Amino acid sequence: MARAEIAPAPGSTVAYRGLRDWIEQVDRMGELLQLEGVHWDREMGAITQMLTESSRGTAPAILFDDVPGYPRGFRTLYGQFSTIDRIALTLGLPMSRERKVDIVQAYHKRMQSMSLLSPRVVKTGPILENVLTGNDVDVLKFPVPVHHERDTARYIGTADLVITQDPDTGWFNLGAYRAQVYDERTIGCQITEGKHGRIHRDTYFERGESMKVVIVCGQDPLLYMLSASPLPQGVSEYDFAGGLRGEPIEVIEGPYTGFPIPADAEIAIEGEAVPGNNKPEGPFGEWMGYYSDDVVPRPYVDVKTILYRNNPILTCAPQHKPVDETGLLKGIAGSAEIWKALEASGLPGVMGVWNHEGGPATRFTAIQIRQRYPGHARNVLHVASNCAAGAYNGKWTVVVDEDVDCSDIDQVLWAMCTRFDPVSDVDVIQKAWSSGRDPMALPGNFNNRVLIDACIPYDRKLRGTFPHVVDVTAERRADLRARYSDAFARFLPR
């Protein structure tokens, strides 16, 4: 595979440039599987699910080539974020760690120290190697998959970024929204209520105006990760990515929309959504492990221009029953934002936040704290479950003490079974923000959620009357790890 055209700038915190260079590095890490001859009709999605569900955090990224019916070199990529090491590579964070939650802490600290950097507009880039307009427009030029057994349509947008513009401020938002293919020139763009892209579209439509949109279907994994992250309104994912990299993201201006499009993107689709132009959308296997809500009319996009690189790579993340390939992506990105919100609220003693992969996104969030005052745990529970990063489709929020690794589900369950009273340590939030992705959503797209205080009761902790935990001291752990480093390196996760 040819190396990316542009090397990382000196001082960049991210050690790769663009999707193709990222794939090369993943290959050198031993985490890339390349398969040929796999069909786009359900086979790619099935292979990805089978590898991911059985690997528990060690599944490879999968690059499919020589797809039946398509030229060699027109590829698809699945499973970008199935391991913590690939997320660390993407964010420019250390590969070594003792706990899974250490990567969230490192990401959180990186966010605190960085400065936002606006993108740099350039005249040209690999994305302009091929430009299709008019009768040449055809989104099925690419090996767009049918991802799941019960899907009835091909979806070109799954691991994508959808670029929309606020009609009043001019702010560009990048969001990961699914895009169904209706025909060569018509695709869907499903956006849940409350998401920034949906607010933009609703605002245009309420004014009787059409909305321009760009759907990028192959891009730097950092941009994809950020497009699926709960960043604050008004903060551009481009600016955030530039801050993480330590250098601006290079963009070209789309020939139809004028929107900033990553100069090294693989595939970009420019189009327009018109008020009142709807088509039935779905069904689709979604991130909670179920097929999406009933097929209903949703706005579609008239495709005006397609830009793509030579030998393009279509990035895919169809999702399925947990654990799936986006569990870590959503978990780590969302955890860091919850941590940020807790500290912004002035809450002390936060030692870790982890969205557990078996409860995708914020369905099961655990927070690790050092209790500082009576009611501290309850303050943390309510802020974590109601901040922007934790509010959407949450279900369980659990807070544990400093001696419990919040990223270890066995330790969290132990705390819930030994430090929790079902009468006094439960709060319930009713009519919270949900969506049709939740099979238990209430009418009006609400849900109810539970908050669990699994900390040692503060007064007993203060008096020292709670039983001592059977454990190994930190000093002995460090000594044994140093003396028997080979054994620990072999059998314990990095």
Side-chain angles (χ1 to χ4, degrees):
M1 178 181 298
R3 191 170 178 82
E5 287 82 351
I6 310 171
S12 173
T13 58
V14 178
Y16 71 91
R17 173 64 71 86
L19 178 63
R20 301 190 184 197
D21 193 29
W22 184 90
I23 291 172
E24 277 198 1
Q25 297 208 32
V26 169
D27 193 15
R28 289 196 292 270
M29 291 162 56
E31 295 195 3
L32 180 69
L33 173 64
Q34 301 188 59
L35 295 176
E36 297 185 353
V38 179
H39 206 284
W40 55 263
D41 189 359
R42 297 173 174 84
E43 290 186 356
M44 296 175 182
I47 287 173
T48 303
Q49 179 170 348
M50 292 164 66
L51 287 171
T52 307
E53 68 187 3
S54 62
S55 65
R56 305 301 297 179
T58 61
I62 313 169
L63 187 65
F64 296 100
D65 199 352
D66 202 16
V67 179
Y70 288 89
R72 184 173 183 81
F74 277 58
R75 294 157 290 173
T76 64
L77 177 69
Y78 283 71
Q80 293 176 73
F81 294 121
S82 299
T83 71
I84 294 180
D85 279 352
R86 296 206 292 276
I87 292 176
L89 168 68
T90 303
L91 293 172
L93 299 176
M95 295 284 186
S96 298
R97 69 197 68 84
E98 290 194 9
R99 306 175 304 156
K100 292 191 295 184
V101 74
D102 290 344
I103 191 174
V104 179
Q105 185 175 38
Y107 185 27
H108 173 61
K109 287 182 177 179
R110 180 76 185 93
M111 287 194 295
Q112 303 303 103
S113 63
M114 75 179 199
S115 299
L116 299 179
L117 286 177
S118 299
R120 179 190 299 123
V121 179
V122 295
K123 294 293 185 181
T124 189
I127 187 59
L128 293 173
E129 288 173 346
N130 301 275
V131 179
L132 304 180
T133 60
N135 292 333
D136 292 330
V137 166
D138 182 1
V139 298
L140 293 175
K141 185 179 186 68
F142 313 103
V144 180
V146 176
H147 294 288
H148 309 105
E149 293 292 329
R150 293 180 179 270
D151 290 356
T152 58
R154 301 166 76 167
Y155 275 79
I156 192 168
T158 50
D160 60 356
L161 61 88
V162 177
I163 307 172
T164 59
Q165 185 177 31
D166 186 291
D168 297 317
T169 67
W171 160 57
F172 289 102
N173 180 71
L174 278 59
Y177 313 127
R178 73 183 189 224
Q180 174 179 337
V181 173
Y182 294 103
D183 57 44
E184 295 86 346
R185 300 181 182 86
T186 313
I187 61 177
C189 188
Q190 191 281 329
I191 314 178
T192 299
E193 300 94 329
K195 298 297 184 179
H196 294 147
R198 176 64 174 267
I199 294 171
H200 291 172
R201 189 175 70 191
D202 287 349
T203 303
Y204 281 104
F205 284 9
E206 287 163 4
R207 298 173 180 177
E209 300 174 359
S210 299
M211 183 185 77
K212 291 182 177 180
V213 62
V214 180
I215 302 175
V216 182
C217 304
Q219 62 280 316
D220 183 336
L222 177 60
L223 290 176
Y224 165 49
M225 184 174 187
L226 294 178
S227 74
S229 302
L231 299 186
Q233 181 170 336
V235 175
S236 167
E237 287 76 8
Y238 282 133
D239 297 357
F240 202 91
L244 286 174
R245 277 194 171 277
E247 58 175 334
I249 301 297
E250 294 190 345
V251 297
I252 58 101
E253 294 181 343
Y256 174 75
T257 61
F259 287 8
I261 298 172
D264 63 356
E266 299 287 328
I267 303 167
I269 300 169
E270 296 188 290
E272 181 182 52
V274 178
N277 284 6
N278 302 317
K279 288 181 180 290
E281 198 271 347
F284 184 71
E286 268 286 3
W287 59 274
M288 287 197 196
Y290 299 88
Y291 286 88
S292 61
D293 47 331
D294 291 339
V295 176
V296 297
R298 293 188 171 100
Y300 60 82
V301 174
D302 291 313
V303 178
K304 304 297 185 180
T305 306
I306 297 177
L307 320 174
Y308 70 96
R309 297 181 64 162
N310 295 332
N311 297 317
I313 302 171
L314 172 63
T315 51
C316 304
Q319 307 175 312
H320 49 78
K321 181 179 70 174
V323 173
D324 76 13
E325 61 181 280
T326 63
L328 283 171
L329 158 63
K330 292 181 177 179
I332 291 171
S335 295
E337 288 293 333
I338 292 172
W339 198 329
K340 179 180 176 182
L342 290 168
E343 292 191 346
S345 298
L347 293 172
V350 179
M351 300 179 65
V353 182
W354 190 262
N355 290 322
H356 282 272
E357 302 94 307
T362 54
R363 305 295 284 175
F364 195 104
T365 300
I367 303 111
Q368 182 177 346
I369 67 168
R370 180 175 287 115
Q371 293 187 73
R372 296 300 192 188
Y373 55 86
H376 186 184
R378 297 303 173 96
N379 289 160
V380 168
L381 284 169
H382 282 273
V383 171
S385 58
N386 285 286
C387 66
Y392 176 58
N393 258 318
K395 183 69 74 169
W396 297 85
T397 308
V398 182
V399 63
V400 296
D401 287 297
E402 71 268 22
D403 64 326
V404 176
D405 181 354
C406 63
S407 61
D408 185 330
I409 190 63
D410 288 334
Q411 291 192 37
V412 173
L413 288 174
W414 171 69
M416 291 172 68
C417 292
T418 61
R419 303 180 181 185
F420 162 78
D421 180 82
V423 173
S424 59
D425 290 331
V426 177
D427 286 346
V428 175
I429 299 176
Q430 299 185 49
K431 296 192 73 173
W433 183 21
S434 186
S435 82
R437 309 294 89 70
D438 183 356
M440 293 294 289
L442 302 173
N445 280 339
F446 298 112
N447 77 352
N448 301 323
R449 55 195 64 177
V450 61
L451 313 183
I452 301 292
D453 181 352
C455 291
I456 295 171
Y458 183 77
D459 58 336
R460 295 184 66 183
K461 191 180 184 74
L462 193 65
R463 297 196 309 268
T465 60
F466 201 81
H468 292 290
V469 173
V470 179
D471 205 350
V472 180
T473 64
E475 294 78 8
R476 189 178 300 278
R477 288 176 184 270
D479 175 61
L480 293 174
R481 278 184 179 272
R483 289 163 55 197
Y484 302 102
S485 57
D486 289 347
F488 282 105
R490 181 179 176 188
F491 292 105
L492 291 182
R494 287 185 290 169

